[in-house]
Amino acid sequence: MTASERRLRVLVVDDEQPAADELAFLLGADDRVGEVLVSTTPTDALAVLSGPEAAGLDAVFLDVQMPGLSGLELAGVLSRFRTPPPVVFVTAHEEHAVAAFDLRAVDYVLKPVRAERLAETVTRLIHGQPAGPEPRREAVPDLQIPVELGGVTRFVRRREITHVEAQGDYARLHTATGSHLVRIPLSQLAEEWAPAGFTRIHRSLLVNLACVTEVRMESGRCSVVVGGAELVVSRRHTRQLRDQLVSRGRP
């Protein structure tokens, strides 16, 4: 880190002192973090965030389950600030991820916290949350996909495809009005369509992130709703999907 680079100032909020101290220690061990403030109650955290110490604060790391005011409720209060601080949830409970998406959390870190995982969060805070409005993503040209229907070739716009299902060497393209079978392997579409916002949620399923309307977590099982269909997300792909949705500010 060069002298010209400002180190982060962060606030850790956790009602369990040992957990707060451990997170503060891990954050402080990162050269990119300069100061770590700690609050063990939401009330104390609000006092800090409403006072002079809030100036130059780069992020708030919130536990979810706290007495009085939960981390989610506290984040809701912060979202109404004139300049809301970036929020990172740190919790042992994966099922709160959906609510975190709604609150535009920068990240969602599961306990026990690993130093490598926390380093990813710090990187996201530094590079993924620029001051001012979020820059426009470079537009990816839409494609017209030729499909055969009753001996007639028709064209389906890629942006209208909600999800893609593997069927052997073929792929079934699903839209709001029906589905079409094309002779293209899912692996090829996953690679070529990734810049357009398509991501794999299962070895046999590809979804259009722009079409995800709900994320559901139940008993550690994740699923998404696209085009009215509920699709199961494999454990292998759950974290990647969560990170992608957070970075896009969805759902």
Side-chain angles (χ1 to χ4, degrees), residues 49-187:
L49 291 163
S50 303
E53 286 185 297
L57 199 65
D58 297 294
V60 180
F61 287 75
L62 289 178
D63 183 27
V64 172
Q65 293 191 331
M66 294 186 288
L69 197 67
S70 74
L72 294 171
E73 291 169 332
L74 178 55
V77 173
L78 299 181
S79 70
R80 293 193 287 272
F81 278 27
R82 178 173 295 180
T83 306
V87 169
V88 175
F89 287 104
V90 184
T91 176
H93 306 281
E94 191 174 78
E95 63 268 22
H96 298 298
V98 178
F101 294 150
D102 291 337
L103 291 166
R104 302 294 188 265
V106 173
D107 208 349
Y108 191 89
V109 181
L110 290 175
K111 296 178 180 179
V113 180
R114 295 177 294 107
E116 316 88 77
R117 178 66 181 88
L118 203 57
E120 294 177 16
T121 301
V122 173
T123 298
R124 179 170 290 167
L125 286 166
I126 293 172
H127 301 293
Q129 296 291 315
E134 183 180 355
R136 288 176 63 97
R137 292 184 177 89
E138 185 177 347
V140 177
D142 197 19
L143 293 180
Q144 296 268 27
I145 314 301
V147 298
E148 295 289 335
L149 188 62
V152 177
T153 300
R154 297 188 179 181
F155 294 89
V156 175
R157 290 185 180 276
R158 180 171 59 187
R159 67 169 179 262
E160 296 174 354
I161 298 170
T162 58
H163 61 289
V164 185
E165 182 183 3
Q167 293 189 351
D169 292 333
Y170 291 77
R172 183 166 293 278
L173 313 178
H174 292 266
T175 69
T177 56
S179 66
H180 309 278
L181 200 61
V182 294
R183 192 166 187 173
I184 308 174
L186 188 74
S187 57

Side-chain angles (χ1 to χ4, degrees), residues 22-41:
E22 180 182 6
L23 182 57
F25 172 78
L26 290 173
L27 284 166
D30 192 312
D31 290 339
R32 299 167 298 174
V33 178
E35 182 179 5
V36 183
L37 307 177
V38 176
S39 293
T40 53
T41 69

